[in-house]
Amino acid sequence: MGCWNEKIQMMPRKELDDLQFKLLKALVHRLYDFSPFYRAKMEDAKVTPDSIKKLDDVRKLPFMSKKDLRDSYPDKIFMASKEELVRYHASSGTTGKATIVGYTRNDVDMWAESLARSISSAGVERGHVVQVANTYGLFTGGLGFHYAAERIGAAVVPSGTGGTERQLDLIRDLGVNAMAATPSYMMHMGEVADKLGISIKNDTQLRIGLLGAEPWSDKMRDRIQDWLGVKGINCYGASELSGPLFSECSEQTGIHFWKDIALLEILDPKTQEPVGPGERGEMVITMLQKEAYPMIRYRIGDLSVVEDDKCACGRYHPRLQRITGRVDDMIIVRGINVFPSQVEFSLLTNPEVGNQYQIIVERKGALDTMLVKVELKPEAFSDNILQLNAMRERIEGKLRSLLNVSATVELVEPGTLPRFEGKAKRVVDRREY
Ligand code: ADP
Ligand code: ZN
């Protein structure tokens, strides 16, 4: 099996730790010397580059939060000039505004390098055909897998999302070996194939699913593997970090975080102290090589566990287990991040909308659906169906353009949605993983 950049993938633990420390030190120097934003943050935390004497000293550094990113819209914390930038992507922010991420040529290169290693460790190799059924465009999923697969010499089918029957034709006609998608889209594709009388297991060569961008379980993996004959490889990333960056190796025992790309901490969300080995906590990520949009101790909001022993594959890069929740209230609908605060932001731009709303997420077949129940103001409510329908369509349109995922809106009478004495429970998630 091919192993992209075997030297670093198989590096002994001590060498990896030394390399990680060297990169951390260089990063802190660069931020302190050249970024007014990070320098101010470090001065507040009373640290200088000299404070970093060993890897654990990363804990002296200040955190970055989603708020820091939001406040820096669009490019206040970029550390690259217009001449050095070669790409922009965007991710959903917690309010109406997206977070913009800039890339230098080296950033795009590092991103492709990281994911190329990952998918090669999962079994993708030169000569394979890789269908990328993730969203292309401002989202990072499509182009991330695209570049990674090309880098190792695989041929890419950039199918993007949707058009499932056509995707199935391509899988059969081109002898596709691996597909990048969300796990729920993989399931949906299986259902469509069944309806058309196509067996993915017997009639195609698709054997590797590079699946991620949303939470999924071992149970779902077992189903995908048994039913479709596709190995379910868990993949992880986020646009703030560059895009999809890491995946499991073919042993499927956790997502290898390349130690020269990222330094991963798992902390107790309340105390911000490291959790014990094997304990669940909040992921905090320092990106060691990013140029335009650096990231130190970024509180990404995902909860998980890390295993740091040697993997059965021989690699020492730590393995992130399944993500089991979020610190905040972000939900992921068809691979797209949705914050209830974004929904609220959009709803309240409509003068007729009252104070209460509820988001109901379900899974119909394999695909997520989102229903938003919206209370109207008493003066806006009427029994004029035509008028209400027009209003509903306008509210739906605004939501779709902000969230990038469609939602069905149901307008309800004032006073009919549940009220809460404590924290409002705005989201009802009925999906099973
Ligand atoms: P992406 O294009 O990967 O969806 P985003 O920046 O839109 O990137 O979303 C990143 C978030 O998606 C992560 O913080 C995490 O909550 C979620 N996510 C990504 N991959 C996984 C995964 N394998 N399992 C669970 N959640 C994931
Ligand atoms: Zn491994």
Side-chain angles (χ1 to χ4, degrees), residues 9 29 39 44 52 73 100 113 120 200 252 257 281 299 309 330 412 428:
Q9 290 211 33
H29 263 290
R39 187 176 188 124
D44 277 352
I52 309 297
Y73 180 90
I100 306 289
E113 165 68 26
S120 91
I200 291 183
Q252 297 174 286
F257 260 62
R299 301 183 68 174
D309 54 339
M330 185 178 95
V412 303
V428 180

Side-chain angles (χ1 to χ4, degrees), residues 249 251 256 311 313 315:
C249 67
E251 297 290 335
H256 282 291
C311 178
C313 68
R315 292 175 179 85

Side-chain angles (χ1 to χ4, degrees), residues 10 121 247-256 258 310-317 319:
M10 294 303 176
S121 80
S247 79
E248 293 177 310
C249 67
S250 48
E251 297 290 335
Q252 297 174 286
T253 53
I255 297 169
H256 282 291
W258 308 119
K310 184 181 182 179
C311 178
C313 68
R315 292 175 179 85
Y316 286 101
H317 301 271
R319 283 165 295 138

Side-chain angles (χ1 to χ4, degrees), residues 197-260:
I198 302 167
S199 160
I200 291 183
K201 196 175 197 165
N202 300 315
D203 305 336
T204 78
Q205 295 173 51
L206 182 58
R207 292 297 164 262
I208 301 173
L210 304 166
L211 308 177
E214 65 187 14
W216 60 306
S217 61
D218 285 340
K219 213 165 82 198
M220 191 186 278
R221 181 197 331 249
D222 291 345
R223 266 194 72 189
I224 289 173
Q225 299 194 154
D226 294 345
W227 169 38
L228 306 176
V230 173
K231 202 164 181 173
I233 300 290
N234 197 10
C235 302
Y236 180 82
S239 23
E240 305 93 301
L241 310 177
S242 289
L245 283 168
F246 309 112
S247 79
E248 293 177 310
C249 67
S250 48
E251 297 290 335
Q252 297 174 286
T253 53
I255 297 169
H256 282 291
F257 260 62
W258 308 119
K259 276 197 162 177
D260 60 318

Side-chain angles (χ1 to χ4, degrees), residues 66 91-92 139-141 211-216 234-240 243-244 255 300 302 323 326 330 332 335-337:
K66 286 211 192 271
S91 87
S92 40
F139 287 97
T140 52
L211 308 177
E214 65 187 14
W216 60 306
N234 197 10
C235 302
Y236 180 82
S239 23
E240 305 93 301
I255 297 169
I300 193 159
D302 294 315
I323 292 176
R326 299 263 323 158
M330 185 178 95
I332 301 183
I336 309 279
N337 302 347

